[in-house]
Amino acid sequence: MSFIAYLINGISLGSVYAIIALGYTMVYGIAKMLNFAHGDVIMIGCYVVFTAMSGLQFNPLLSVLISVVVCTVLGITIEKVAYKPLRKASPLAVLITAIGVSYLLQNAALLVFGADTKSFSSIITLPALKLADGKLVISSVAVVTVVTCLIIMTGLMLFIKKTKAGRAMLAVSEDKDAAQLMGINVNGTISLTFAIGSGLAAIAGVLLCSAYPTLTPYIGSMPGIKAFTAAVFGGIGSVPGAFIGGILLGIIEVLGRAYISSQLSDAIVFAVLIIVLLVKPTGILGKPIHEKV
């Protein structure tokens, strides 16, 4: 029963990583850049929910909706101000800019909210699920997190395959210049990608803080790095790969913490990533990229 409980907790944590990893994999797949400020957008979303619930006394659902809107606007603003001028720049310049935006958001949060750790009240108040005569207890946060992840993944896949905007994303990811010649608004498509990824980051942040109810300006740093690891693990640029990578990463982390060492759980996660990339450099569902010459 304890193994099953650890497995469920791993799937729940992996679901959060998967939602965050979607932001990385969509931006990379379409804009061919790594947005390392994505983890700090999560942090901003958590603070917005905290302020709306604790300071303004809004109900949880309205607080989450406000957070999604704020993070969506923030993601579009970051793309327009920091990344759009670097569309033709070298990958190194874009990477340095992304790191700079990350530090900017962290320090802005420090100035506004302070460095003190705040207690985050979970927005999920449903009763726990008890199975096997009470021997296996599954928290409501774990259930809601997994269900939310599945809904988001299904909705996103349908959006990409069935809508005009989604098909435009696929076209831009294949060839920006050809897509532009076919009348697709490349800049608008990239902005939409940032908007979707940032909105999902807000939801992931709320679920993460509901499971681990502490809030600091650095709350998004490590989950952001692990979600990027999950995206690479599953095959960066692949939406299903982000889901698979996130789930596997969460399971590995929780089982490593439970059966090997809680202090080495992060090292185990990154060691597994190295082994996977040595065996399959493109990740589980990634495809080799052929450079045009």
Side-chain angles (χ1 to χ4, degrees), residues 27 33 35 37-38 40-42 44 67-84 87 101 105 190-202:
V27 169
M33 60 160 290
N35 178 24
H38 192 60
D40 299 288
V41 175
I42 297 169
I44 297 296
S67 176
V68 170
V69 171
V70 169
C71 287
T72 300
V73 174
L74 178 61
I76 295 173
T77 303
I78 290 172
E79 191 276 327
K80 293 291 186 185
V81 174
Y83 299 143
K84 185 178 178 182
R87 199 82 83 215
V101 173
L105 293 177
I190 293 175
S191 294
L192 177 62
T193 304
F194 271 85
I196 294 173
S198 300
L200 294 180

Side-chain angles (χ1 to χ4, degrees), residues 2-127:
S2 61
F3 174 78
I4 296 175
Y6 291 140
L7 193 63
I8 292 171
N9 289 334
I11 293 173
S12 174
L13 179 61
S15 297
V16 175
Y17 290 155
I19 297 172
I20 303 171
L22 286 174
Y24 283 110
T25 204
M26 288 177 65
V27 169
Y28 181 82
I30 293 170
K32 296 297 182 289
M33 60 160 290
L34 298 175
N35 178 24
F36 279 114
H38 192 60
D40 299 288
V41 175
I42 297 169
M43 175 267 297
I44 297 296
C46 292
Y47 271 111
V48 170
V49 173
F50 175 81
T51 302
M53 288 179 61
S54 301
L56 302 176
Q57 304 299 317
F58 289 164
N59 67 64
L61 181 59
L62 179 59
S63 300
V64 173
L65 289 176
I66 293 172
S67 176
V68 170
V69 171
V70 169
C71 287
T72 300
V73 174
L74 178 61
I76 295 173
T77 303
I78 290 172
E79 191 276 327
K80 293 291 186 185
V81 174
Y83 299 143
K84 185 178 178 182
L86 301 175
R87 199 82 83 215
K88 302 294 184 180
S90 67
L92 181 60
V94 178
L95 179 63
I96 293 172
T97 301
I99 295 172
V101 173
S102 173
Y103 281 115
L104 173 64
L105 293 177
Q106 285 182 12
N107 284 277
L110 278 170
L111 288 173
V112 175
F113 301 105
D116 296 336
T117 301
K118 294 176 172 56
S119 179
F120 189 93
S121 299
S122 175
I123 65 167
I124 302 167
T125 56
L126 298 173

